[in-house]
Amino acid sequence: FSQRGIKKIYTDMKKEVVIFGVKDTAELAWWYLTHDSEYTVVAFTVHRAYMEINSFHDLPVVPFEDLLQHYSPDQYFLFAPMTGVKMNTLRRDVYLMGKSMGYSYISYISSKATVCGNSIGENCFILEDNTIQPFTTIGNNVVMWSGNHIGHHGKIEDHVFFTSHVVLSGHCHVKERAWFGVNATIRDYSTIGEGCLISMGALITKSTEDGSFYMGMPAKKQEKLAIEVY
């Protein structure tokens, strides 16, 4: 091969992705990457203890513990768009484990999302009809399901999960591992605490405490901790 040919092969391989998981979210990621991205999915991976199948969508499923032997981080990306179970701690742990193994992650941003030159980290899964206004930054490992409004001049830290139709007003600061239920509304200049759960339909009118659970209109802090609820 010529140097140019080798470079092209390497570039094409670097667009190949292994997806963590074989459940609904991983299947949706496969669909979106296949139909709306420059990347090619080549395999799936799960922890060995959860290996129930050897192939998914005609692609191999390999144990996460053996991934380095099959798909080198020098040649393949990883993508782990997991759900927010246990207040995003499982998503965080898998993401950090992949980083410790040397993998770089892609982010998927739907072609039908509205973004304004925002700084967006890796391993983000941003679906259709999200509007992200100017001057808001988004960290790593953030999920935004469809139809959210993310206001201007805000900051969203790592491992945050938005369901659908959340309105986050301008100048908000969302700390790590926060979780937002469908149709939650957050007033401008609010800070959402680390590991905080905002319930479906909640109206947040002031900043929230770390590790707490809020529901209602206006929302009030509940007795149970968020980690106990979800």
Side-chain angles (χ1 to χ4, degrees):
F1 291 103
S2 66
Q3 185 175 3
R4 182 177 180 182
I6 292 172
K7 184 176 180 180
K8 182 180 186 304
I9 292 171
Y10 180 76
T11 300
D12 290 344
M13 291 180 71
K14 281 297 289 183
K15 292 182 179 179
E16 294 181 331
V17 181
V18 178
I19 294 177
F20 185 94
V22 292
K23 301 297 184 182
D24 288 357
T25 306
E27 186 171 39
L28 286 169
W30 168 83
W31 192 94
Y32 282 111
L33 291 179
T34 300
H35 293 86
D36 186 37
S37 85
E38 62 179 344
Y39 298 105
T40 300
V41 180
V42 296
F44 295 87
T45 183
V46 296
H47 289 299
R48 181 178 285 105
Y50 298 96
M51 283 280 297
E52 298 178 351
I53 54 177
N54 294 317
S55 66
F56 191 55
H57 285 287
D58 296 323
L59 297 172
V61 179
V62 300
F64 192 47
E65 294 80 356
D66 299 338
L67 192 60
L68 288 169
Q69 301 173 28
H70 299 277
Y71 298 95
S72 167
D74 293 331
Q75 298 177 346
Y76 299 92
F77 287 107
L78 192 58
F79 190 41
M82 301 168 62
T83 63
V85 172
K86 295 187 177 180
M87 289 307 303
N88 298 304
T89 55
L90 293 181
R91 292 179 52 243
R92 177 198 62 195
D93 293 349
V94 168
Y95 168 76
L96 293 176
M97 190 178 301
K99 294 295 290 182
S100 71
M101 294 162 65
Y103 285 98
S104 296
Y105 288 83
I106 68 162
S107 281
Y108 169 78
I109 303 170
S110 172
S111 63
K112 297 179 176 62
T114 300
V115 294
C116 300
N118 309 83
S119 173
I120 298 174
E122 63 178 7
N123 204 48
C124 292
F125 194 31
I126 299 175
L127 302 188
E128 64 275 5
D129 300 327
N130 279 285
T131 295
I132 305 172
Q133 291 190 321
F135 308 112
T136 286
T137 61
I138 297 172
N140 301 312
N141 200 27
V142 172
V143 173
M144 292 183 179
W145 225 251
S146 56
N148 299 293
H149 173 91
I150 307 299
H152 57 91
H153 291 92
K155 180 180 180 180
I156 299 170
E157 296 187 7
D158 296 348
H159 320 302
V160 173
F161 197 105
F162 291 83
T163 56
S164 293
H165 302 289
V166 175
V167 176
L168 184 74
S169 301
H171 291 276
C172 287
H173 179 191
V174 180
K175 294 186 177 181
E176 290 192 5
R177 295 190 303 101
W179 191 96
F180 295 87
V182 174
N183 290 327
T185 301
I186 319 307
R187 184 179 179 176
D188 56 334
Y189 289 93
S190 296
T191 295
I192 304 301
E194 181 177 348
C196 188
L197 189 153
I198 308 301
S199 179
M200 178 187 302
L203 173 60
I204 301 296
T205 59
K206 57 184 179 181
S207 297
T208 67
E209 299 177 17
D210 292 351
S212 298
F213 173 38
Y214 289 79
M215 65 183 301
M217 298 182 65
K220 295 181 180 180
K221 181 182 174 182
Q222 306 300 301
E223 293 183 3
K224 287 179 178 274
L225 294 176
I227 196 92
E228 295 174 344
V229 177
Y230 191 78

